[in-house]
Amino acid sequence: MTLPTLHDLHRPLGSTGLVVSPLGLGTVKLGRDQGVKYPNGFTIPDDQAARLLLAQARELGINLIDTAPAYGRSEERLGPLLRGQRDQWVIVSKVGEEFDDGQSRFDFSAAHTRASVERSLKRLETECIDLVLVHSNGDDLRILEQEEVYRTLALLKQEGKIRGFGFSGKTAEGGLKALEQGDCAMVTYNLNEQAERPVLDYAAAHGKAILVKKALASGHVCLSPGVDPVKASFELLFAHPGVSSAIVGTINPLHLAHNVATVAQVLRQP
């Protein structure tokens, strides 16, 4: 029996010109195990396990990978792990949040934004990052209106160091504002939280990209008995035409295969 894959279900990432799998692999668990909000503890996988996970993702038709400086060692591990495969992946990283000694700190200045992107290029061993998002601290409108980060990302796009830019925020107002000038918004949208739905509506109407974070509510979704929470979650997401892809961070090969099979089933049902 062949496993379902996503190879024939890739879709445009808004109007960036990039084409992505409807499921992306989040890599926080490749680099950071402190201050993360998962229901169960986990051990950061070694290089061999990480390499096998990435190979499995690729075989299952996933071409989208999500990382960030705030994910501990995730970026610096992905560089060597993806050597020789760069053209097969669409890489999303972030700016704005740093994570040191178990603490997050934020810097949205022009100088930090530029230095952060240059460092990510080095760590990821690439000349261009496909998409860079602002890692918001929740003060979305102030960051977009008063800080230099968004203007700096627009310049880095013009310089060819990034292909697109956008915003990973926490409010509908922030997401809507971010899409006026940016290419993509990363929003929380799941069975428990749908406050950012207006951002999805705007994206669908204006050809912008939406990446969904916490699609499975970080493993916290609870439904009535007999209902598959993963299937119900993906049915909700992909019923909306604005959604480009859902980012799910798993290091469990069985979960990964199950998520892929479920997304394939949801997208193929008449």
Side-chain angles (χ1 to χ4, degrees), residues 216-227:
L216 306 177
S218 297
H220 297 284
V221 167
C222 296
L223 293 168
S224 50
V227 177

Side-chain angles (χ1 to χ4, degrees), residues 49-72:
R51 202 172 278 112
L52 287 170
L53 186 79
L54 290 163
Q56 179 195 11
R58 224 174 67 197
E59 280 163 25
L60 292 172
I62 292 174
N63 76 332
L64 179 63
I65 202 153
D66 175 72
T67 184
Y71 295 171

Side-chain angles (χ1 to χ4, degrees), residues 52 65 119 153 169 176 181 193 197 204 207 212 238:
L52 287 170
I65 202 153
R119 184 186 60 190
L153 288 175
L176 290 166
Q181 277 135 22
E193 298 172 79
R197 186 185 167 103
V212 175
F238 293 114

Side-chain angles (χ1 to χ4, degrees), residues 10 19-24 57-58 61-65 88-91:
H10 288 197
V19 176
V20 297
S21 47
L23 197 64
R58 224 174 67 197
I62 292 174
N63 76 332
L64 179 63
I65 202 153
Q88 295 170 47
W89 296 96
V90 172
I91 298 180

